[in-house]
Amino acid sequence: MPKEITTLVTFFGATGDLAKRKLFPSVYNLYKKGFLQEHFAIIGTSRQEMTTEEFQTFVSDSIKEFMQEDADADFIRHFDYEKADITVAADYAPLKAKIEKLDQEFALNGNRIFYMSIAPRFFGTVAKYLKSEELLSTNGEFNRLMIEKPFGVSFETAEKLQNELSDAFSEDQVYRIDHYLGKEMVQNIATLRFGNPIFNNAWNKDYIDNIQVTLSETLGVEDRAGYYDTAGALRDMIQNHTMQVVGWLAMDEPTEWTDTAIREAKNKAFNALKIYTPEEVAENFVRGQYGPDAANTQNGYLQEKDVPADSQNNTYVAGKLEFATDRWNGVPFYIRSGKRLAAKTTRIDVVFKQDANIFNNTQPLEKNVLSIIVDPEGKIEYSIIAKDTTPEFKTRPITLEWKVSADDKAQTPEPYERMIHDTMDGNGSNFADWNGVAVAWKFVDAIQSAWDATHQEFPNYVSGSMGPVAADELLARDGHKWVYEG
Ligand code: NAD
């Protein structure tokens, strides 16, 4: 049995879609694994009228629907409900009373987590009232805040939110969720790098030619145009998930395996990211918008429901990142993400430099490539040079492969389970911190403002392809090509 965690979690937005689909099933898994035993309580709150019994049924139903299980009655009795309008200061008093009651009842030692599963415009308001209405404990080991995405829609809005949060919470109390950081194979980047000298010693400009990060989707905008047309791939996928994955790839080895040291190492890399001028954006970034597929059976973006006919929104982004550090000078990090691409995948391809071919053959040798495949199934591939079987001494690339097994997969916690566990445990290693978020916004804002100032002809890629031709040309100019071709 693992060591029991003692805590009270208040879920704001407890009747919402995310709570039902992900959060309650995750808490149940933590209970089944023994992290939560006797000393825990969960308070759900939202603006909906509901009794505690009705809420307990809501939680049981969510576990039935999303885990196909009947929740243990002993688990469900730890759940309580309090209606509150989070924009009304007076509504926090009954919530406070309930928190204090459950704290006593389950002997929770004043350890509190507040999870904001609510619309982002409320994040600052809730943080403010948690402090002013005195819901934070003064005698416990911790008060922690878990925040859903997005964290702002620009550097300016993110900074405003950050200022609101930091009036009530210090940085080490804030757990900003980026569920990509909760993915097993993203967490495996660090193990591969720092656990294997062959990679750790070669993880620099002397041995690495370029690094490629791909987050591709096959779906189009579906029914989310209202949101997506204001965000685009740049803000929806690059600013957050892609940049956080890049953080694990670009960082130095942390001085020790703690969240503070990990964040410090990542921030050193983030702070060395080159922020582009408009001219550099034109050179280093490509935007795309999907048209119909080749057979003309799928809509182009401009024909999708609720998309303005003249939308300049990007549904695809590819670009080059440069880090001005001793480790990375001159090594391009290529990133790309888009909708309606040939395949749904998240992957990292690390292309190593190759030596001259000494095998009496003028052909250059293929480069070694380490591929970390995050989705749809966890896999590591390492493509190396070996001998061909023919009598003449010829070479060929071969691939060493490891795949997550069905057993491993069954035991792998979902990102939300892991993130809730880590917050309860006070481990901020797999959360986005303010400095990294701020740099990512400054980087993305520079690209967005350059694009806002220039018109682009759309559509410029066919649904079902791997994006605009310009994204291939971007790499070709540097003498490179995308490893993954869909
Ligand atoms: P939702 O609309 O389904 O639920 C929102 C919740 O907030 C409801 O419980 C509602 O009662 C409550 N609420 C709204 N206004 C309130 C008020 N004035 N006072 C008190 N409660 C109020 O939203 P969701 O899909 O569950 O998303 C919640 C958050 O999680 C958002 O920040 C979203 O961006 C993020 N998120 C959601 C998903 C997802 O899969 N649904 C995935 C990633 C991130």
Side-chain angles (χ1 to χ4, degrees):
M1 231 4 174
K3 189 169 164 283
E4 181 185 10
I5 298 175
T6 299
T7 190
L8 185 148
V9 187
T10 304
F11 284 102
F12 290 93
T15 58
D17 172 67
L18 182 69
K20 191 171 62 169
R21 279 193 310 114
K22 299 280 185 192
L23 306 182
F24 301 141
S26 297
V27 175
Y28 192 44
N29 270 332
L30 293 174
Y31 171 80
K32 286 200 300 177
K33 289 176 185 171
F35 293 107
L36 301 176
Q37 297 174 21
E38 186 46 40
H39 301 100
F40 80 97
I42 307 291
I43 298 181
T45 178
S46 86
R47 63 181 161 184
Q48 250 165 280
E49 199 71 65
M50 219 186 232
T51 63
T52 288
E53 290 67 35
E54 284 166 342
F55 180 59
Q56 290 180 341
T57 305
F58 180 82
V59 174
S60 299
D61 289 349
S62 111
I63 287 160
K64 184 93 190 152
E65 183 177 353
F66 295 99
M67 299 175 78
Q68 287 77 47
E69 272 183 62
D70 290 319
D72 196 333
D74 193 48
F75 169 72
I76 293 293
R77 78 181 174 83
H78 291 257
F79 282 73
D80 212 312
Y81 185 79
E82 190 65 45
K83 175 187 177 223
D85 184 330
I86 47 188
T87 61
V88 178
D91 278 16
Y92 286 77
L95 191 54
K96 177 180 185 205
K98 181 137 292 174
I99 288 174
E100 285 169 355
K101 175 176 162 279
L102 293 187
D103 199 324
Q104 289 293 317
E105 194 177 322
F106 291 101
L108 302 177
N109 299 339
N111 297 349
R112 290 178 195 168
I113 295 173
F114 300 93
Y115 192 123
M116 300 213 214
S117 182
I118 45 177
R121 67 178 183 284
F122 295 130
F123 295 162
T125 311
V126 173
K128 179 179 80 178
Y129 285 137
L130 286 176
K131 183 169 184 204
S132 69
E133 305 313 303
E134 300 177 343
L135 276 72
L136 306 179
S137 75
T138 48
N139 59 352
E141 284 166 40
F142 57 80
N143 289 291
R144 296 180 185 139
L145 187 67
M146 294 187 77
I147 305 200
E148 266 300 332
K149 63 162 196 178
F151 199 90
V153 294
S154 62
F155 174 68
E156 197 185 341
T157 52
E159 191 181 40
K160 181 168 173 289
L161 170 58
Q162 174 60 18
N163 289 339
E164 288 166 352
L165 297 187
S166 57
D167 283 343
F169 291 88
S170 58
E171 182 62 15
D172 64 347
Q173 294 177 307
V174 178
Y175 293 74
R176 288 179 203 79
I177 290 174
D178 188 313
H179 71 279
Y180 273 66
L181 291 176
K183 288 180 184 261
E184 177 67 15
M185 291 304 287
V186 171
Q187 299 193 356
N188 224 337
I189 298 171
T191 342
L192 268 175
R193 282 191 58 184
F194 308 126
N196 299 293
I198 191 171
F199 295 129
N200 203 14
N201 289 314
W203 212 263
N204 56 53
K205 62 178 186 292
D206 296 336
Y207 296 96
I208 291 183
D209 192 60
N210 69 89
I211 294 185
Q212 306 178 9
V213 179
T214 301
L215 281 76
S216 65
E217 301 175 85
T218 49
L219 288 180
V221 66
E222 310 299 299
D223 55 3
R224 292 172 69 224
Y227 152 75
Y228 192 76
D229 199 64
T230 64
L234 186 63
R235 284 182 281 224
D236 189 48
M237 297 297 285
I238 301 288
Q239 186 277 336
N240 41 32
H241 312 316
T242 313
M243 295 300 282
Q244 290 299 327
V245 171
V246 166
W248 276 119
L249 295 164
M251 71 193 284
D252 283 351
E253 183 167 348
T255 49
E256 53 179 10
W257 199 244
T258 61
D259 55 1
T260 319
I262 290 170
R263 284 174 178 215
E264 195 182 310
K266 279 192 194 166
N267 282 331
K268 189 180 152 222
F270 280 133
N271 293 338
L273 176 67
K274 185 169 178 194
I275 312 283
Y276 291 137
T277 62
E279 295 72 36
E280 289 166 335
V281 170
E283 259 167 54
N284 295 313
F285 265 80
V286 169
R287 57 180 152 162
Q289 191 185 83
Y290 62 82
D293 60 334
N296 214 1
T297 57
Q298 285 179 305
N299 276 338
Y301 181 70
L302 295 179
Q303 289 82 50
E304 301 276 35
K305 185 166 144 283
D306 300 331
V307 171
D310 58 350
S311 175
Q312 279 279 296
N313 190 33
N314 58 84
T315 63
Y316 176 97
V317 173
K320 174 159 87 173
L321 275 58
E322 296 166 313
F323 292 93
T325 59
D326 285 349
R327 181 183 291 273
W328 294 123
N329 269 328
V331 179
F333 281 61
Y334 298 111
I335 57 173
R336 60 179 167 168
S337 181
K339 289 195 181 294
R340 277 284 179 77
L341 298 179
K344 178 175 168 54
T345 188
T346 301
R347 61 181 287 144
I348 297 143
D349 296 289
V350 181
V351 182
F352 290 89
K353 290 186 171 164
Q354 180 56 284
D355 292 334
N357 190 341
I358 67 153
F359 305 116
N360 300 325
N361 179 334
T362 50
Q363 287 293 330
L365 293 168
E366 284 87 349
K367 290 169 179 153
N368 290 182
V369 180
L370 174 68
S371 299
I372 303 167
I373 294 125
V374 178
D375 293 320
E377 54 170 356
K379 220 197 277 186
I380 297 167
E381 291 175 354
Y382 187 33
S383 153
I384 57 172
I385 295 299
K387 200 186 146 300
D388 199 347
T389 49
T390 50
E392 319 104 282
F393 199 96
K394 278 195 184 164
T395 62
R396 60 175 170 176
I398 59 163
T399 302
L400 315 181
E401 183 188 281
W402 171 84
K403 230 191 261 187
V404 171
S405 68
D407 277 358
D408 271 356
K409 199 166 177 201
Q411 283 172 31
T412 305
E414 283 278 312
Y416 273 98
E417 178 187 332
R418 221 188 280 254
M419 293 183 299
I420 294 173
H421 168 270
D422 286 0
T423 305
M424 291 175 169
D425 196 32
N427 178 359
S429 303
N430 291 300
F431 293 86
D433 87 339
W434 168 236
N435 181 74
V437 170
V439 170
W441 273 127
K442 286 179 189 165
F443 182 73
V444 155
D445 282 356
I447 298 164
Q448 188 66 52
S449 72
W451 285 350
D452 286 345
T454 50
H455 182 85
Q456 165 93 39
E457 278 307 309
F458 287 134
N460 60 351
Y461 70 98
V462 176
S463 283
S465 69
M466 268 317 272
V469 176
D472 297 336
E473 292 168 352
L474 174 76
L475 274 69
R477 279 202 298 276
D478 298 338
H480 300 137
K481 65 180 180 54
W482 294 107
V483 170
Y484 182 68
E485 294 173 327

